[in-house]
Amino acid sequence: MGLKKKPAGAETGLARRRFLNTAAAAGLAGVGMAACSDKPASAPAATAQASAPHAQPNPGEGAGSIHLKPGELDSYYGLWSGGHTGDMRVLGLPSGREITRIPVFVPDALVGWGITNESKDIMGRKADGSLKYTVADTHHTHASYKDGDYDGRYAWINDKINARIARVRLDTFTCDKITELPNAQGFHGIFPDKRDPVDEAVNYTTRVFCGSEFHIPLTAADIDKPEKYRAIFSCVDAESMQLRWQVLIDGNCDLVATSYDGKLAATNQYNTENGVKYEDMMSAERDACLFFNVARIEAAVKAGKFKTIGDSKVPVVDGTRDANADPKTALTAYVSVPKNPHGVNASPDGKYFICAGKLSPTGTVIELAKVLDWFDGKLEKIDQAIVAEVELGLGPLHTAFDGRGNAYTTLFLDSQVVKWNVDAAIKFHNGDKNAKYVVDRVDVQYQPGHLNATHSETKSADGKYLAVGCKFSKDRFLPVGPLHPENEQFIDISGEKMVLLADHPVRGEPHDFIIFRRDIIKPKQIYNLDDHPQAVKSAADGGLTRKGKKVTVRMVSQAPAFSMREFKVKSGDEVTLFLTNLDKVEDLTHGFAIPNHNVNFIVNPQETKSVTFTAGKPGVYWCYCTHFCHALHLEMRTRMIVEA
Amino acid sequence: MGLKKKPAGAETGLARRRFLNTAAAAGLAGVGMAACSDKPASAPAATAQASAPHAQPNPGEGAGSIHLKPGELDSYYGLWSGGHTGDMRVLGLPSGREITRIPVFVPDALVGWGITNESKDIMGRKADGSLKYTVADTHHTHASYKDGDYDGRYAWINDKINARIARVRLDTFTCDKITELPNAQGFHGIFPDKRDPVDEAVNYTTRVFCGSEFHIPLTAADIDKPEKYRAIFSCVDAESMQLRWQVLIDGNCDLVATSYDGKLAATNQYNTENGVKYEDMMSAERDACLFFNVARIEAAVKAGKFKTIGDSKVPVVDGTRDANADPKTALTAYVSVPKNPHGVNASPDGKYFICAGKLSPTGTVIELAKVLDWFDGKLEKIDQAIVAEVELGLGPLHTAFDGRGNAYTTLFLDSQVVKWNVDAAIKFHNGDKNAKYVVDRVDVQYQPGHLNATHSETKSADGKYLAVGCKFSKDRFLPVGPLHPENEQFIDISGEKMVLLADHPVRGEPHDFIIFRRDIIKPKQIYNLDDHPQAVKSAADGGLTRKGKKVTVRMVSQAPAFSMREFKVKSGDEVTLFLTNLDKVEDLTHGFAIPNHNVNFIVNPQETKSVTFTAGKPGVYWCYCTHFCHALHLEMRTRMIVEA
């Protein structure tokens, strides 16, 4: 990269940014190859004053050993997006162990997600009853709030491929609702609100905001008119999971952030050029952090000032730049930030949103009070809400916080995390060239994307652990063929210096995650029989009934047996089978597989599920328990006898 | 359980076994509840002389710290079956970190397994081109041998639900062949041979043996005649993955083991009663370890002494008990072992197969030289090959070895691993009541199933680490709802006493695994362009061609761009898209997703894949890179324009 180490703040301008201003493909290819070098030892040099990385585990005060003894529990939960694996993952911290994966958008053979009728109904079916989608790409997961901290009710996660939002219940760790966003493509950023902008009593999450990345024609007539393509910003009701409203906008949405007072949501945007080729998408010097005035939008919707698009009945207001030039009526405000920014994050003191520069080496600090001032006509230009724009290093992507006034930003190209003080950065930006805003840097292995710290996205940010999702693991783990794992690294941030604690391989490709104290949630261990309206409450309640070619089988499991030792159907029958697990002991799950019929699912204690299938060719099919349950688990079977 | 601690060997008979002889359902339910108690602190008491468990990490000589510093590599690979997740997993030991998961029998949204044409061809399609199966239940994985140790070529894994065997290449860590076994249901145990029984030069794996668990009617006419149901034992060619031959047998196969001389394969059997209800399956006092004389079976097949079943052309020889009473012509030999045994394992000295009792508290040691003597007419009764049958504890399931003469057996009901000396057990069995065969016991959390030690299944068993797959984790990890993870525990076995090192949660439900030194394999990091006959070798080699409604799109990826920035098709076209990743840098993988078309897959460096889909309704679909590759990854897209 040819960059020399320089003291932070030694450059008054943003000179180094010019490095990424040459939009020619050749130059970019060079950047790309550097980013993806197979010579990990020669990571780009640190760009500023902070000392060299600290490889020796030497945890500071507050963060204990990450190496738990057998049986010791973790202190924090982590919820991780699974990327194009399509799931959500639950990690324990500080150990870094993956405790479970939650099937969300794509089928899962273990639990029968996408196999059972109940899961198919959540996932969405085609007219013929089969699954509408079997692939997904999850990027971001965030949880519900109350009083500015997590309340342990829900988490939400996006599917970028098919523009779907899913909700996960944090009592059962299961997905209970999925909504496909109309008029949207490439749904990427997602964030719940933290309180209502108007109603003081509603100091908890009732909305989830969704930014779509791809700009598309709104009618088939505009397919060949890229200048008419637009992206969309959606508001989904946190409880009903129905769309409340959408905003038509300029630019492509990346991430989403929300303010603690409920008044503002924002999305950082690249491609405000509305280009359709990547060279065009990065031609402008600055893009935007786009703010939404939630109360004004909802007032406009209430007043009928909206349109609808195509078949969708969702009210759509106009949030484009030209339509919102007057601050007194504006629904949106486009704050300019350096080119192709990546990530927007709310500081836990409620004051700032920070955008990372990606193609600019800067972080941009936007003061929310000033954004509100602009909407109120008290600030002349919206860009006056920018209170700092400082150099951090090459390829800044995302920012986390420790609750002590420090921000931690990933530097994709430098393969570092930089710790910087927000107040000092504002002072530096205001002309105090002695303000040393960069506190520390640590090398990570290798190119980091998202990072997050314990409770970083809440008012309770506690500054203990930082996790960093590194996008190339290269030589950090035993080689497993051409497809490498990603590398989640854990860093102790309890002291002045960051201390790298551990590497953990993760199957591709997690993006974002949140980390919260274990006391936040109290998961259920056993279902209630009445959770399912068709629960089979005893063996006597079960049996086989037939209506023409439609057969219903109702059965219970209780270790080590299914209540029916055999059942007879005819080849070609449409069979619906309900299975209730009557076992009440925690962790006593049973499975139910039918050979050659694509049926397998599990029932947890007191849970009921159902499957519908067509009985195959005549023969005996031993349905068996797939989930180890008992010394006689192998013997736990029932015979499905299919007659001609 | 009401059992008192007693010195090992203090009981001359198998008195405690009577505990499990009451086959009444009520009694069994009691066992089940004990096994699945939610009071982990009150695990059943140790049954023998060995001292209490050793919870403090105090690794003995030979096994170092399990806590690797950032960047330190593991010493061992572990290949883990994924249970009804349907995959294979790769762990690093001693850290216990899961490095990757290999999609095998079920679709995987990350890599596009079950989405790409190449993977669909391996997985198997229906007549309409869709996948034949989307669920699976993998239990056992074992790797190819040379000179009695692993050679790093292949691993094989079973699917119990649909009776399929898959092969995984250990250079690319990908599945390359799947074969469905005819005439079989509930294919469970699997083991490769270690050399040819006849040809001295073939001192490596050329066969894989597969035992089917479920006994089924061989013709539809026998559906209602359970006494005619039979199970089958199959031999698959290790290279072609085609069936070589099958053996019709009595009883239900559980696990499979093979001898180091290539002459014998064996499967332990429960339900030699041929019962169809579980009470009947455990009515007999003893079941069997069934041996196969490989050379004689192949001679019989060569001599045409076989039949075929139904549509299958696979030669089937008769291995039932009655047909093989004469040792001089017998193809099979049924050695009796206590009721419903679980697991058969070959000792690394090549001398013994050991069966664990499950419903009996015993381990049965069978001397292979004596089994061969019986086939040679030199041993009067086949059960004289049993050289030891000793009490180990309640619910023995599986056995591993340390290469120093000791065996380690999981005790499901006692929630322990017992370490015992095989020679001492033989002495004890022969009347030396002073022989203390039990060396140590360690509590595990909780009910253990499979266990395995480093290189345990080879002549190079090194006795360093032992892994134990515990089937209930209960309170060992942060709660994640009603579905708990399993608990893989790692134990240092390098010293006299076992030392429990760590707990690792794993998503359900791994069963079996093998662990080998990292020097055994040298994985490929980059594919060869010529691996795929349709590789797109340059942007110029690509483009769009049309034949009626069939469109072929050929494209390359090179960070940060696809070679085609857009392509136009018509709604309803059958589109086949080939994508070659021209990037050569290790770990520089790209993804390719098409919104609303169920298409997502990845291409690793120099890899080519293809998908076929029907173009949807008119509109613009931004196909994008799903696998983080470059600072301009978000901008890496191509527009699929679908015209009316």
Side-chain angles (χ1 to χ4, degrees), chain B residues 323-383:
Chain B
N324 291 274
D326 181 357
K328 287 182 187 132
T329 57
L331 308 179
T332 58
Y334 292 74
V335 178
S336 94
V337 293
K339 68 190 309 174
N340 295 50
H342 200 78
V344 55
N345 298 93
S347 63
D349 59 11
K351 289 185 188 172
Y352 309 112
F353 282 5
I354 295 177
C355 291
K358 193 168 83 169
L359 299 195
S360 155
T362 53
T364 299
V365 183
I366 301 167
E367 187 173 337
L368 303 186
K370 294 194 174 186
V371 173
L372 291 173
D373 281 348
W374 181 82
F375 278 115
D376 289 344
K378 297 178 193 164
L379 193 74
E380 191 184 356
K381 292 182 175 174
I382 185 65
D383 280 4

Side-chain angles (χ1 to χ4, degrees), chain B residues 518-554:
Chain B
R518 72 189 203 201
D519 63 87
I520 294 285
I521 54 173
K522 297 274 180 289
K524 291 173 74 168
Q525 298 301 316
I526 297 171
Y527 285 94
N528 298 318
L529 264 192
D530 292 327
D531 288 343
H532 195 295
Q534 301 270 13
V536 188
K537 297 194 176 180
S538 69
D541 183 26
L544 184 149
T545 53
R546 171 183 290 278
K547 282 188 182 176
K549 294 284 283 176
K550 293 195 176 186
V551 172
T552 302
V553 178
R554 292 169 51 80

Side-chain angles (χ1 to χ4, degrees), chain B residues 594-616:
Chain B
I594 310 179
N596 308 119
H597 282 74
N598 256 336
V599 169
N600 183 55
F601 62 99
I602 58 170
V603 276
N604 293 296
Q606 301 283 292
E607 189 180 28
T608 301
K609 285 182 184 164
S610 68
V611 287
T612 298
F613 60 92
T614 302

Side-chain angles (χ1 to χ4, degrees), chain B residues 406-429:
Chain B
N406 300 304
Y408 301 76
T409 300
T410 47
L411 302 175
F412 179 78
L413 294 178
D414 280 342
S415 288
Q416 288 187 333
V417 172
V418 55
K419 173 181 178 180
W420 54 289
N421 184 276
V422 178
D423 284 345
I426 294 171
K427 282 180 191 159
F428 182 85
H429 182 81

